[in-house]
Structure formats: structure tokens, C-alpha cells
Amino acid sequence: MAERTHQQAEGHYFENEPPPKDLKTTVTLAREFINRHADEGRRVVLVTSGGTTVPLETHTVRYIDNFSAGTRGATSAEYFLENGYAVVFLHRQFSLLPFSRHYSHNTRSFLDFMKEEDDRVVVDQQHQEEMLEVLRQYTQVKREGRLLILSFVTITEYLWDLREVAKLMQPLGPKAIFYLAAAVSDFFVPRDRMVEHKIQSNEEFSLTADDENGNGNGRPPAARTEGRKLIIDLEPVPKFLKSLVDGWAPEGMIVSFKLETDPSILVKKAQYSLQKYAHHLVIGNLLLTRKWEVVFVSAMDGEKWIRVPRHRRTKSFSGIEALVGAADPTSKKEQEADSSLMTEHSIPHGEPICEIESLIIPEIEEMHTKFIQQTQARNGA
Amino acid sequence: MAERTHQQAEGHYFENEPPPKDLKTTVTLAREFINRHADEGRRVVLVTSGGTTVPLETHTVRYIDNFSAGTRGATSAEYFLENGYAVVFLHRQFSLLPFSRHYSHNTRSFLDFMKEEDDRVVVDQQHQEEMLEVLRQYTQVKREGRLLILSFVTITEYLWDLREVAKLMQPLGPKAIFYLAAAVSDFFVPRDRMVEHKIQSNEEFSLTADDENGNGNGRPPAARTEGRKLIIDLEPVPKFLKSLVDGWAPEGMIVSFKLETDPSILVKKAQYSLQKYAHHLVIGNLLLTRKWEVVFVSAMDGEKWIRVPRHRRTKSFSGIEALVGAADPTSKKEQEADSSLMTEHSIPHGEPICEIESLIIPEIEEMHTKFIQQTQARNGA
């Protein structure tokens, strides 16, 4: 019964929320890419990245967004590529991209890396070495045709794209991974409750809202002014993870993320999600420690923390290092023991920063290998 | 009485909403910059750009945003610089910047402009000429110290920065312009109604909300789940334009923007705003034609449309060209006459795209000259 209700909710969603304008192009590109790599026997990962928007008006002036620069997704995509995967990178428009992420979304302008030399623009000496390495990786991946970049803005665009790409990935069987790093809204404004025009803030001009209140279906608009206040009531998005596991991608390995801010509920929520959807791996992370530690929760390996060694943690991130371990009851002692050593002088210098995704992806690759073997054994048996 | 109420609302806002962490740095940088240019007798413009966010949680996972890539602000800043102004560019973090805007926020990765040549990274031949021109402009502006880049994310950071920078600009007298192109939220979540942690979407985990409901002050949180819905009620932001005109910047020329989606109310709303705040210029624009036409509404010149000639309009923008003129009753005939000519073949080819800001800024410079003369005449009398 619950199953039927979910299918109905999903059906209702896609019947009522229009597909993105570029869906045909997306499908054409994705089909060619996926089939080519399927033919070559390569593993393919769909990496979703960045936040989805929930527009409040059809002609959108205001929207609700989910915080994400796209760092997790863009960085993970690079390590999947390094590990031989073909990557479909479905990202929020203008969020970070693999490779170019090293030079965007920072406080400097891209032109600050450039200088004029003999009437030509070149990269300045200071940045040559690192950029050359990045450019070579990027060029190689492009030459091999192993990276497909797709984009979304709204929650509805995201869900349409996810559904269509997932279906196209079915021929990959267990060689497909879904690595769902995007920050997807749990709530949305249904099309039939969305006002057309910008919501007016002063009462003199909000009279027109009366015309829209009806919308022909008697349901009040989801966003509306009441007196001097703006009231928004949002409806739940159907649980697309359930659709993915049960319908769109029955054979692929599915990795979801759980971002929390409260350490006391992180592991519980990750376990709850794994039980509820019965997929393969939940990666739990806290907003304020997400670049230094994550927890893997899976049926295969139980609960497993992955942590960047203290002296190799990036500091270019406004996290709170004292919170590392706070969501992990087993780490309490280690944490206290560590903290006694934690003085400026005891930190070894000169060791390079370690991106946590460089630890996450090899772990996943190993699980994926087991996953493929198990599926093959089952099918062979 | 209304005045007193507004001042109270402003006072309450700044007493309750904490300043941005980097406010001191902002003030130090802005003071040095403004004083230097004031000493040199230069005109200074504060350009605000991009959208403000309204966080729903203290540890922000969800927020409300106002649509803006920052194109209007970044482009305008370049033309102000070209016209000799010093520019304080107060922009939403990661939104478009003057000069680098030509190479960011497009569908290509910045690395697509680069190639390897003799083990070095250089800009490829195809983009050399244009990028050299942009880099030269940028380098000159930096050398002359005429561009100060500041950033905000939230509505509260924006208002604090605006207030402090405006006060620092008072010594400039009428030589200051405030060019308020940022898309600023009319609504916000007061700090004392903001929940600390991520709002939980499923009922199993939302029990903690009870603890937060009280907040010690008996006011319900502004964002909360009710059953399976997310309810948000936002309070009005005090009218900072009034504060700017009456208090923070009594002598500067103030230019505000009015973005609408409904052509039938655009001019009325611009006029209403000009009457209400008694500042100097409202620039009205429609979401779907904003790169092709704007309307100036001022006491000085009345209502005046500025339009890019049809054959020089950018097409790299998902606007609706048929809406050009729709908010301007006087243009109806012209529009109809034009549309009869509007076939693919009749568009002259080869003329360069004209950015509407290249028409807007010289108009404003002219008004600013008159404004300075009038102030000087008044003060001399």
C-alpha cells in the first residue's frame, strides 16, 4: 500500500511538473556517452553535484536554495576519473566543475593568474606548474571522452534529468554507480500552486494576488504575502531515492549523502536512510567537519569513519575542527588523547593537504568491485 | 511618527542582527580607498551587485535567494571605470566580477580557453585578442587603485556593509553615487526566530523542533515543518533605501533598481518608489527584457526609456524580445511598425553586440554632473 502510494506520488510529480527544455539534448548526449562506455566495458558513475533551487514564481525572482558550492561533487568526479571511471557530471549550473574548480569560486579573479608577455596572455610563473598539471589531466580526460557535463537549476530539472539518465544507465548493470552528492531539496512548490509574477512586498501592489489566489483550482499559492509578511508553504518532494532503488536503477550501486549540522543525529539518520531505501551506501557528513571526516554506513561494512590525518587537513574552510569526532562515539578517547598534543609546534609542516575525496573514492571503488563480483556470482549461480 | 517608526525598525534591526565577521576589514579597506579618491577629487560609485540570501537556519543548509548572476552590476562597474570613476564593488560572493565576467558563468570551463605550448599554459590563439584587451583594462584599473572589491552573502551582511560604506562615503558629498543593482530581499528571518540546526524533513527526527519552538522568547521559529509540509513565514526588512536617503548618505546621488516581471506595473512601481523615498533615479527593468531596455524615472528628467537598437541586442539570454516596449505605452506604435520589418533577413549582420550598460552609465554620468553642479550652486548661494 505504501509502495503504491509512492508510485502514485512519483507519477503525479512527473505528470504535473514540466520537463526541462533541454531534456532531449541531455538524453541524446547521455545515451551516446553511456552506450560507448558500456560497449567498452567501462565502469560509469553518475555524480550529482550542487544544490537544487525551488522557484517561488514562474518568472523566477525568488527561490529557495540548498547550500552547496559543489566541492564534494566536483572533487569526487576528479578522483573517479583518476580511478578509470567514465563520469556523467550532473551539476547545478555555475557550481564548481572538476579541474576548473581549482581556479574558480575563490576570492581572486581568474585574471589574477594571467599576465601579458610579448603582446600575449599567458599564465604567470607562480601558477604555471600546478595549472599545467591540471590542464594535462583535463585534456586527457577530454581526449578519452570520459567526462560528460550536464546541468540543472531547479529541483524539477534535477529529478527529470536523474530519472532519464538513470534509465539510460540500466544496460551497465552493476557497473553503474550513482553517487548522489547534490544537495536536493526535500520540499517544493507544485506548478499549480506557483504564482506567475514576482510577489509584491507592499500592500499597494499586492491586490493582483487575489486574481492568482484561485488559479482555477481553488488552492492558495504556495508563496503569498499576508499583511507585511511573506508566507511560504512547501510540499514534500516524492522520495526519489526510493524510485531510483526500486525502479530507475535496479542493478546499479547507489551511494547517497546525508548532510547534518547536529552531531548527535548524524549516524542515526544515515542508518535510518539505509534501512528505509535498502540501497548500498550512505555517506554521512557534518556541515562543519565535512572536509575532514565522513562516515560510511553500509550493509556491506557497517559503520566506518574516514578521516583526514590532522596535519593534512585543509584550513581553507570555515569548519570547526574541535567537532571532528563529535558524531562518532567510538572516537571520543582518541580525540582527547590527540588534543593534548595539539599545539602549533607539534604539527608537522610541509606535508601536502589531503582532500578527503582522495580517501573516499578508492574506498568506494573497492566496494564497487565487491558489488560487481557479488552480482556476477548471483547471476552465474 | 512614521519617521520615528522607521528609525526604530532600523535600530532594532542592527541591534538584533549581528554584523559580518569581516566588517572591520571591510571598513579599513573602504576607508583607505574612499579617502584616497576623495583627496584626489575623484567621483566614487558604490555598485552593489548580485542577490542576497536569507538563511533559514543558523548552521545554514537552506536559504532563500534572489535571482541575480550579477551581470548588471559587474558590467556597469566596468563602464563606470571606463568613465573615470573609482568603484567600490560590493557583490554577492562568487557572483560575476568586472572583467573576469567575460570568462566565468558560461557553459565552458575556464580551462577550455587554455592550451599547452612548450610545457607552459597559455591562452589559445582564438581568445588571445579579446582577453588581452580585457587583461589590459583590468591591469590598468588595478595599477590606478580604482577598484575595490567587497563581498556579502546574507541580507544582513549586505545591510551592515552598505551602512558602513555609505557613512564612509559622506566626505565625498555629491561626488558619491550609490548604484544599487543588487537584488535585495524584502523579507528576512530574524535571528531570534532562526533555528540552529538543519530543519528535519521526516517526522521521526523533527521532535527536537519542540525544544527550539520556545527559543526563550515564545516566538515560533520562522521555518518549521508542519506535518509533511515546510512552512516559512518571513518578516519585512526595514526599508534601507529610506535610511540611505535620510541618514547614511544625505548628499550622494542615489540610483535604485526596480525589477519586475509584469509589464503592466513596472513604470507605476518605479514612480511609486521615487515618490516614496525622494531619491534621484529609479531604473526600472523587466526580467525578460532587462538586457535590451530599461526605463529611467527621475525628478530631473521624468520617464525616459533606454533601448539597445534591435540589430545590436545580445541573444545570449533567455529573454522574450516580443516583450520589448510592453511596459512602455508610448512605444506601442513603434513596436508594431518595427515588427513588420522583423524577419531574419532584414537584420543587419556584423554589427557588434551592444551592452545596455554602455548606454546607461554615460546617461548617469551626465545626470551626476548636473547633480554636482546643482548642489554646488545651492551651497554657494
Side-chain angles (χ1 to χ4, degrees), chain A residues 27-256:
Chain A
V27 166
T28 304
L29 291 170
R31 179 181 290 123
E32 186 282 324
F33 183 89
I34 292 160
N35 289 349
R36 179 159 47 84
H37 291 292
D39 289 348
E40 294 173 8
R42 192 169 286 114
R43 296 178 182 187
V44 179
V45 60
L46 171 67
V47 174
T48 70
S49 184
T52 61
T53 70
V54 176
L56 300 186
E57 306 110 340
T58 319
H59 297 303
T60 309
V61 173
R62 298 184 177 94
Y63 56 92
I64 297 174
D65 206 341
N66 273 53
F67 169 78
S68 170
T71 312
R72 178 80 78 211
T75 310
S76 298
E78 278 181 35
Y79 289 104
F80 273 117
L81 288 163
E82 198 177 301
N83 283 273
Y85 283 77
V87 175
V88 179
F89 188 69
L90 177 60
H91 78 298
R92 163 73 172 276
Q93 188 184 35
F94 306 142
S95 69
L96 291 174
L97 291 171
F99 306 109
S100 77
R101 74 180 170 100
H102 299 277
Y103 303 97
S104 55
H105 283 220
N106 58 37
T107 48
R108 305 184 70 193
S109 160
F110 128 85
L111 291 166
D112 288 319
F113 297 103
M114 302 291 153
K115 65 169 182 178
E116 182 176 343
E117 191 183 278
D118 304 328
D119 293 331
R120 295 176 74 211
V121 182
V122 299
V123 172
D124 66 15
Q125 204 46 47
Q126 192 190 342
H127 300 98
Q128 273 291 348
E129 196 180 344
E130 192 196 311
M131 203 183 289
L132 185 59
E133 199 186 317
V134 172
L135 181 64
R136 281 178 176 167
Q137 290 169 354
Y138 178 60
T139 307
Q140 189 190 337
V141 158
K142 272 210 298 190
R143 200 172 41 233
E144 296 171 352
R146 283 201 291 125
L147 174 61
L148 175 65
I149 293 178
L150 302 174
S151 71
F152 62 84
V153 176
T154 67
I155 170 76
T156 297
E157 288 169 5
Y158 171 83
L159 289 177
W160 272 98
D161 288 347
L162 177 65
R163 184 173 79 156
E164 297 310 308
V165 173
K167 287 178 179 173
L168 292 169
M169 286 172 73
Q170 286 181 7
L172 292 160
K175 284 193 175 166
I177 300 192
F178 296 83
Y179 184 85
L180 306 171
V184 181
S185 181
D186 294 316
F187 303 98
F188 81 116
V189 173
R191 177 54 55 127
D192 62 4
R193 294 189 58 214
M194 198 183 287
V195 294
E196 181 183 359
H197 287 297
K198 182 183 178 184
I199 301 151
Q200 296 298 322
S201 62
N202 48 357
E203 290 158 54
E204 287 89 337
F205 291 93
S206 60
L207 299 174
T208 48
D210 286 344
D211 306 332
E212 308 212 59
N213 266 340
N215 261 324
N217 59 17
R219 305 175 75 197
R224 57 200 181 266
T225 49
E226 287 183 11
R228 299 178 65 226
K229 282 194 164 195
L230 176 65
I231 312 287
I232 311 169
D233 73 278
L234 298 132
E235 303 191 8
V237 172
K239 297 295 181 189
F240 67 93
L241 193 48
K242 187 161 181 55
S243 310
L244 199 63
V245 176
D246 295 348
W248 308 340
E251 287 195 278
M253 173 167 159
I254 297 174
V255 181
S256 71

Side-chain angles (χ1 to χ4, degrees), chain B residues 98-376:
Chain B
F99 305 111
S100 78
R101 74 178 169 102
H102 299 278
Y103 303 97
S104 53
H105 283 219
N106 56 37
T107 47
R108 305 183 71 192
S109 159
F110 128 85
L111 291 167
D112 288 320
F113 297 104
M114 302 292 154
K115 65 168 182 180
E116 181 176 344
E117 190 184 278
D118 304 328
D119 293 331
R120 293 177 75 212
V121 183
V122 299
V123 173
D124 65 15
Q125 204 44 49
Q126 192 190 341
H127 300 98
Q128 274 291 348
E129 196 180 344
E130 193 196 309
M131 203 183 288
L132 185 59
E133 200 186 317
V134 172
L135 180 64
R136 281 178 176 167
Q137 290 170 356
Y138 178 61
T139 308
Q140 189 190 339
V141 159
K142 273 211 296 190
R143 200 172 44 232
E144 296 171 354
R146 283 202 291 125
L147 174 61
L148 176 66
I149 293 178
L150 303 173
S151 72
F152 62 85
V153 176
T154 68
I155 170 76
T156 297
E157 288 170 5
Y158 171 83
L159 290 177
W160 272 98
D161 287 347
L162 178 66
R163 184 172 80 156
E164 297 311 306
V165 173
K167 286 178 179 172
L168 292 170
M169 286 173 73
Q170 286 181 7
L172 292 160
K175 283 192 176 166
I177 300 192
F178 296 83
Y179 184 85
L180 307 170
V184 181
S185 181
D186 294 316
F187 304 98
F188 81 116
V189 173
R191 177 55 56 130
D192 62 4
R193 295 189 59 215
M194 199 183 288
V195 294
E196 182 184 358
H197 287 298
K198 182 183 177 184
I199 302 151
Q200 295 298 323
S201 62
N202 48 356
E203 289 157 54
E204 288 89 338
F205 291 93
S206 60
L207 299 171
T208 49
D210 284 344
D211 306 333
E212 308 213 59
N213 266 339
N215 260 323
N217 60 17
R219 304 175 76 197
R224 59 202 178 265
T225 49
E226 288 183 10
R228 300 179 65 226
K229 282 195 165 193
L230 176 66
I231 312 286
I232 311 169
D233 72 277
L234 298 132
E235 302 192 8
V237 171
K239 296 296 179 189
F240 69 91
L241 193 48
K242 187 163 180 56
S243 311
L244 198 65
V245 176
D246 294 348
W248 308 340
E251 287 195 279
M253 174 166 157
I254 296 173
V255 181
S256 70
F257 279 80
K258 192 51 85 181
L259 176 73
E260 294 297 333
T261 64
D262 182 350
S264 71
I265 63 172
L266 176 64
V267 172
K268 267 189 292 184
K269 285 216 63 170
Q271 287 168 341
Y272 177 84
S273 176
L274 190 75
Q275 279 165 21
K276 181 164 178 182
Y277 301 109
H279 59 304
H280 309 98
L281 172 63
V282 180
I283 301 181
N285 57 150
L286 288 176
L287 188 65
L288 293 174
T289 64
R290 69 192 187 279
K291 298 201 179 178
W292 303 320
E293 63 172 3
V294 300
V295 58
F296 275 33
V297 178
S298 68
M300 212 182 260
D301 293 334
E303 181 187 331
K304 182 173 177 180
W305 283 87
I306 292 181
R307 244 174 230 128
V308 176
R310 180 163 290 179
H311 57 282
R312 297 193 58 194
R313 289 176 192 161
T314 176
K315 298 294 181 288
S316 65
F317 151 63
S318 61
I320 298 183
E321 204 165 355
L323 279 178
V324 170
D328 175 11
T330 63
S331 85
K332 280 285 157 57
K333 264 193 190 140
E334 183 195 330
Q335 200 193 1
E336 280 158 28
D338 269 23
S339 64
S340 64
L341 298 170
M342 185 54 185
T343 68
E344 270 302 316
H345 297 287
S346 68
I347 299 170
H349 289 290
E351 289 206 47
I353 289 301
C354 168
E355 293 181 315
I356 194 166
E357 293 80 7
S358 73
L359 307 176
I360 292 174
I361 307 309
E363 286 281 338
I364 290 182
E365 191 198 3
E366 210 172 292
M367 292 177 81
H368 192 202
T369 300
K370 275 194 219 163
F371 176 80
I372 294 171
Q373 285 165 351
Q374 286 170 0
T375 310
Q376 285 169 343

Side-chain angles (χ1 to χ4, degrees), chain A residues 321-332:
Chain A
E321 205 165 354
L323 279 179
V324 170
D328 175 12
T330 64
S331 85
K332 279 284 155 58

